[in-house]
Amino acid sequence: MSFHSELSKDLKDELESLRWYHHELSRHAAEALLLSNGSDGSYLLRNSNEGPSCFALSVRAKDSVKHFHVKRVEQAYVFGFNQFPSLQEFVNHFANQPLVGSDTGTLIALKAPYPWHVEEPSIYESVRVHTAIQTGRTESDLVADAPSLGTKEGYLVKQGAVVKNWKQRWFTLQRHELKYFKDKMFEEPIRILDLRDCSAVQFDYSQDRVNCFCLVFPDRTFYLCAKTGVEADEWIKFLRWKLAQNRKGK
């Protein structure tokens, strides 16, 4: 049963009226969303996994995202040292752009709520990933060695090895090989990375950029950046699945 289905009808109706309540958005997805599309001081409310009356306020603080507890006690909302008798008073408090202090001593001004409904773009992206599932149940049913399965391609920005500048490259992922090209129309890759030698794929926050992730190899760590947090998340999930399949010996 989902968290949202456990909420009372009155609470559901009340929260539906709040345009910056993002339902079951995960902590990781909230970070990706605020870092890629938000600005310093953007915030949103989402469900917490600590119970049906617990929520999390996720706030962008420059190049990171902080998370704060919000709890509903009877009809009131408890946030920090304050208790607000109703949702409306809770919302009114945020309209004053309050400062929030974290455990690290960082002061964050809550400047702008991030709406859950964003206007849909008129331009759609082309399909770059299309996988098949044997039984349609879980990701374990994916067949890694199927001829046209487990492929992904797209543009990423890559950091150079010697000169630490960033250049856009065209990447293709097939079986255990991640290739990158100078551009999409080039036939010969600049380099082929064997994912069987890769030990980890993870989000990276050490660079002066957002939507970055890294691939860790014995002799080098490759730093890559996607256009959006969602796109970076897709690459990470897909690459991690590839690594898991390699470890199983498939």
Side-chain angles (χ1 to χ4, degrees), residues 28-162:
H28 184 69
E31 291 174 353
L33 191 66
L34 290 171
L35 286 172
S36 60
N37 299 326
S39 56
D40 189 29
S42 294
Y43 59 90
L44 59 84
L45 187 69
R46 59 185 177 82
N47 295 340
S48 166
N49 57 12
E50 295 188 8
S53 294
C54 297
F55 306 91
L57 184 78
S58 299
V59 187
R60 177 167 174 176
K62 295 184 179 177
D63 293 327
S64 66
V65 175
K66 309 293 183 186
H67 306 274
F68 302 92
H69 287 295
V70 178
K71 192 173 178 68
R72 190 174 192 262
V73 180
E74 296 179 346
Q75 301 301 313
Y77 287 82
V78 178
F79 177 65
F81 302 110
N82 297 323
Q83 181 167 312
F84 303 92
S86 67
L87 180 66
Q88 189 55 54
E89 292 193 38
F90 180 63
V91 172
N92 291 345
H93 174 70
F94 282 87
N96 294 322
Q97 298 190 356
L99 285 172
V100 176
S102 68
D103 292 336
T104 58
T106 305
L107 283 175
I108 310 161
L110 303 178
K111 296 176 183 175
Y114 191 92
W116 68 268
H117 176 71
V118 179
E119 195 66 33
E120 186 175 349
S122 58
I123 299 172
Y124 289 84
E125 301 214 7
S126 57
V127 173
R128 293 297 180 204
V129 184
H130 190 189
T131 59
I133 296 181
Q134 267 185 327
T135 64
R137 288 194 300 243
T138 69
E139 65 176 12
S140 301
D141 297 322
L142 288 167
V143 184
D145 295 326
S148 61
L149 182 62
T151 62
K152 182 170 174 58
E153 58 183 8
Y155 282 107
L156 294 169
V157 179
K158 177 187 152 298
Q159 187 186 60
V162 182

Side-chain angles (χ1 to χ4, degrees), residues 54 87 102 117 157 177 184-185 195 211 225 233-234 237:
C54 297
L87 180 66
S102 68
H117 176 71
V157 179
E177 292 183 339
K184 186 178 179 180
M185 71 282 296
L195 293 177
N211 313 321
C225 291
D233 196 43
E234 284 178 359
K237 285 179 179 175

Side-chain angles (χ1 to χ4, degrees), residues 156-160 165-167 171 180 220 222-224:
L156 294 169
V157 179
K158 177 187 152 298
Q159 187 186 60
N165 57 350
W166 295 83
K167 291 185 179 178
F171 282 77
Y180 60 90
R220 180 182 166 189
F222 291 83
Y223 294 95
L224 308 171

